[in-house]
Every structure is written in structure tokens, then in C-alpha cells.
Amino acid sequence: MLTPEENNQYSRHILLDKIGIQGQEKLKLAKVLVIGAGGLGCPILQYLTAAGVGTIGIIDDDVVDQTNLQRQVLYTIDNIGMSKAKVASEKLAKLNPFVFFKVYVEKLNTDNAIDLFSDYDIIIDGSDNFPTRYLVNDACVLTEKPLVFGSIFKFQGQVSVLNYKGGPTYRCLFPEPPTPGSVPNCSDIGVLGVLPGIIGSLQANEVIKIITGIGEVLSGKLLYYDTLTMQQQVLNFKKNEQIHITALDNDYELFCGISTGFIQEIKAEELKQNKNNYQILDVRTLSEFERFNIGGLHIPLDRLSDKIRTLNPQKPIVVCCQSGIRSKQAIHMITHIRNDLTVLNLKNGLESF
């Protein structure tokens, strides 16, 4: 039952004949988990909180960075360095005191995904990398949870509802991950600030439709949106009956070709203190390197294969890129050819420097 205060807070929803009191009560009883409190997560969280979803889980181990503020509108400059999940829950509680938030300041992984997903009705993917997307998809299939998917790339975005009532999954849409490094994230190539607001709002819309049972859910459909042309397309896709998910993969980064397993990493603080003990290898593009770099050797990832045999084995090599993803791919390439080198990945890339 809704309290008098809740009736007042949600009055504009209740006036809608397709939602009404019953629909609003369904929203109050719903439990939704949001993966990531970044570009997509911010609008998703804001609109689901405003809509009155009763329990909202937020999982994100990241902290607010100044580069986030261009699009992650939940945060301000005063929040830099603070936990995104914690800051988001505190601010959202002021928007709607009738929502209960569960905060998980941790990274989603194969150890916690199944137990975590089991506590929620709907999972929303606001992540920005392929290993997490495949992990989220597989865990949703195994726990029989609908998945509201969204992704962004520069000026374009996509939205779909996966594993809805046994419908198509992410692996039906993308059976294999793209070639490593072929689809960089927004920290590598940029993103229009309003784009995650648009796509995240569309994801929140799908969640509300699923909970209240209204409209036509984007199951078996991929909505494509282009901010530059304002064009939108809906592509249909079918369930692939040949795909059977019976357990989580042991290593989703390995599946996506980002690593060959264990990669030794070094944090920015440690590198700063002992920089003379290492060689720096920057694998970003020339324009990125010219904008900011920490010195060392610059070999763009697309030219690295031709230069691997020239690398000097005298000192351990710290490979860096913007976010720590392309550098893992570079390490995979290096270790495949050279076994005489000690190679480390700069954890979280130059964003952490």
C-alpha cells in the first residue's frame, strides 16, 4: 500500500490510466540492480528513483573523476575522489526518501554475480566493457532475470531487453566479442555528454514498462539511436537455440581477448615513486600521447606488432594506455612473441596518474 505522502509524490504517475495505484504499487515492490553508476547509471538511477522503484541496488567500485563530470550529472566537483555508488545513493535518497538503496562498493565478478542477481527482479547493465557485459548476460540467464542493456559509442547508442521471459540474450545478438582494441571505450575516444542521458533514460523506461506491464518491451529488438542525425532504428533479432549457458566463464577478460590470464599490474603511486626502475611503453594514439604523457617509449597499439622485437629487456616494462584496456591487449601481443621481458600493466591506465 502507498502512504499518503507517496500518493502525493507519485500523483502524476497515478493519474496515468496505464499505471495508476496498482502500477505504482508494483514499482514500490520491485527490486532492481544497476551495474555501474557512471554515464548510463546516473540517468537510470535518477529516473528509477524518481519513479518510486522500492529497492535499488548500485554496484560500482569506481570513484568520481573530474573527466566524469561532463556527462555523469549526479556528481559535482566536490565529489571527486569519492565512491560513485555511495555518493549516488546519498543524493538519490534526497530525491526520494521512500526508496531503499543497497550499495556495493565492489567490482562485479564471477564470485559475486550469481548471489547478487538472485536478490533482484531486474538487472540493468550500465557497464562500459565487453567482459562485464558477457558476465552480466550469463549471470542473468543462470538466475533467470531480465536484463536491460544499454551501450554508447561517441555519438550513437543502443538499447535492448535481453533474457526477457526466455527471449534472446546478449550472446544471441553478439555470439563473439569484437576484436580486442577494435571498440575502445569513452575514456579512449570520447563521448557526447548528453548521449548517456538519452540512452540511460531509455533503459529506465524499459524497466518501468517491465515492472508495470505496460507497452511493448524491447525483447528481441535492438534500438539504435544517432544523436547527429536524430535517426533511430529498431532491428529485430531472434533467440539462438544453439547457445546454452550452463555456468559462468572462468575468465571473461580472457574470453574477450583482453588478457591471457594473470597480468601483473602496478599502481600509479608505486610507478611515480620508482619510475627510474621501469621502462614506460605508451600504446595510445599519437594525438593522445601529444595531449598528455608520462614519457617513455611511444608505440601505438596498431603498430606494436612490428616493434615488439626491438623492446629492451634490461628493465621491466610498464605498458600504459588511457584506461588500462588497450595496454592489456598490448601485453598479450608482447608476451606471445617475447618471453625474455618482464611486462606490467599500469592499473586503470593514465586516468589514475
Side-chain angles (χ1 to χ4, degrees):
M1 295 289 292
L2 301 177
T3 65
E5 292 84 359
E6 288 173 310
N7 272 295
N8 189 41
Q9 178 116 356
Y10 307 130
S11 61
R12 299 305 186 268
H13 260 180
I14 293 169
L15 287 171
L16 293 169
D17 57 356
K18 291 185 179 294
I19 295 183
I21 291 287
Q22 288 187 337
Q24 196 60 51
E25 288 178 341
K26 289 178 181 178
L27 288 166
K28 181 178 180 178
L29 294 173
K31 297 180 179 180
V32 174
L33 177 65
V34 181
I35 313 295
L40 292 173
C42 283
I44 292 168
L45 289 165
Q46 286 172 295
Y47 278 104
L48 293 185
T49 298
V53 172
T55 301
I56 298 178
I58 310 171
I59 179 167
D60 197 317
D61 67 339
D62 198 9
V63 298
V64 179
D65 184 85
Q66 190 167 10
T67 61
N68 301 149
L69 304 182
Q70 163 253 14
R71 64 198 178 282
Q72 298 178 23
V73 295
L74 260 177
Y75 313 118
T76 69
I77 198 164
D78 295 329
N79 302 133
I80 292 174
M82 301 171 68
S83 163
K84 288 183 180 179
K86 287 183 178 179
V87 171
S89 66
E90 292 168 0
K91 293 192 176 184
L92 293 167
K94 295 177 181 179
L95 170 63
N96 191 342
F98 308 115
V99 174
F100 176 65
F101 297 96
K102 292 185 177 180
V103 176
Y104 308 91
V105 185
E106 57 188 281
K107 185 179 178 66
L108 185 73
N109 55 49
T110 54
D111 294 325
N112 60 19
I114 297 297
D115 288 341
L116 195 56
F117 286 18
S118 298
D119 291 336
Y120 292 89
D121 304 316
I122 301 171
I123 311 301
I124 312 175
D125 188 358
S127 66
D128 62 357
N129 63 86
F130 288 98
T132 301
R133 289 171 186 163
Y134 281 99
L135 167 61
V136 171
N137 175 79
D138 295 356
C140 281
V141 171
L142 294 173
T143 55
E144 299 181 343
K145 306 293 181 180
L147 167 61
V148 179
F149 162 76
S151 70
I152 53 177
F153 181 79
K154 297 176 75 172
F155 300 98
Q156 294 86 36
Q158 300 176 343
V159 181
S160 185
V161 176
L162 308 167
N163 201 47
Y164 179 67
K165 297 182 178 180
T169 73
Y170 187 72
R171 288 184 183 267
C172 300
L173 190 58
F174 302 110
E176 299 292 334
T179 303
S182 63
V183 187
N185 62 29
C186 65
S187 64
D188 296 325
I189 45 85
V191 62
L192 184 66
V194 300
L195 176 61
I198 296 168
I199 300 301
S201 297
L202 290 173
Q203 288 179 268
N205 183 57
E206 291 304 304
V207 174
I208 293 171
K209 285 160 57 180
I210 293 170
I211 294 171
T212 58
I214 63 174
E216 183 178 337
V217 174
L218 278 172
S219 177
K221 298 178 180 180
L222 179 71
L223 184 151
Y224 170 84
Y225 180 83
D226 189 321
T227 60
L228 296 182
T229 63
M230 297 303 289
Q231 291 184 340
Q232 136 178 338
Q233 296 176 301
V234 177
L235 309 175
N236 295 314
F237 64 100
K238 295 181 179 180
K239 185 176 180 65
N240 186 340
E241 301 293 348
Q242 303 302 313
I243 296 176
H244 301 286
I245 300 168
T246 58
L248 296 181
D249 199 293
N250 290 328
D251 189 334
Y252 282 89
E253 287 198 345
L254 178 62
F255 170 70
C256 292
I258 293 175
S259 76
T260 56
F262 174 76
I263 287 181
Q264 188 175 354
E265 293 193 306
I266 184 171
K267 293 182 178 180
E269 294 78 11
E270 183 181 348
L271 181 60
K272 288 177 183 177
Q273 294 172 3
N274 303 282
K275 192 174 178 181
N276 291 334
N277 296 332
Y278 299 97
Q279 301 177 77
I280 307 296
L281 173 58
D282 192 322
V283 296
R284 297 174 300 158
T285 63
L286 178 60
S287 61
E288 289 176 287
F289 184 80
E290 289 178 340
R291 280 197 300 270
F292 168 76
N293 68 79
I294 57 173
L297 185 62
H298 173 237
I299 305 177
L301 184 61
D302 60 1
R303 296 173 53 196
L304 181 60
S305 59
D306 297 330
K307 303 288 185 177
I308 290 176
R309 297 195 182 280
T310 67
L311 297 176
N312 193 328
Q314 291 184 352
K315 288 184 179 181
I317 300 172
V318 175
V319 186
C320 63
C321 66
Q322 189 64 23
S323 62
I325 295 177
R326 283 176 289 175
S327 53
K328 289 184 179 180
Q329 169 64 5
I331 291 174
H332 170 73
M333 295 168 62
I334 293 168
T335 55
H336 182 70
I337 296 176
R338 298 279 298 269
N339 58 13
D340 61 327
L341 300 173
T342 300
V343 189
L344 301 86
N345 186 52
L346 178 60
K347 188 173 184 179
N348 297 322
L350 291 170
E351 289 182 347
S352 63
F353 215 85

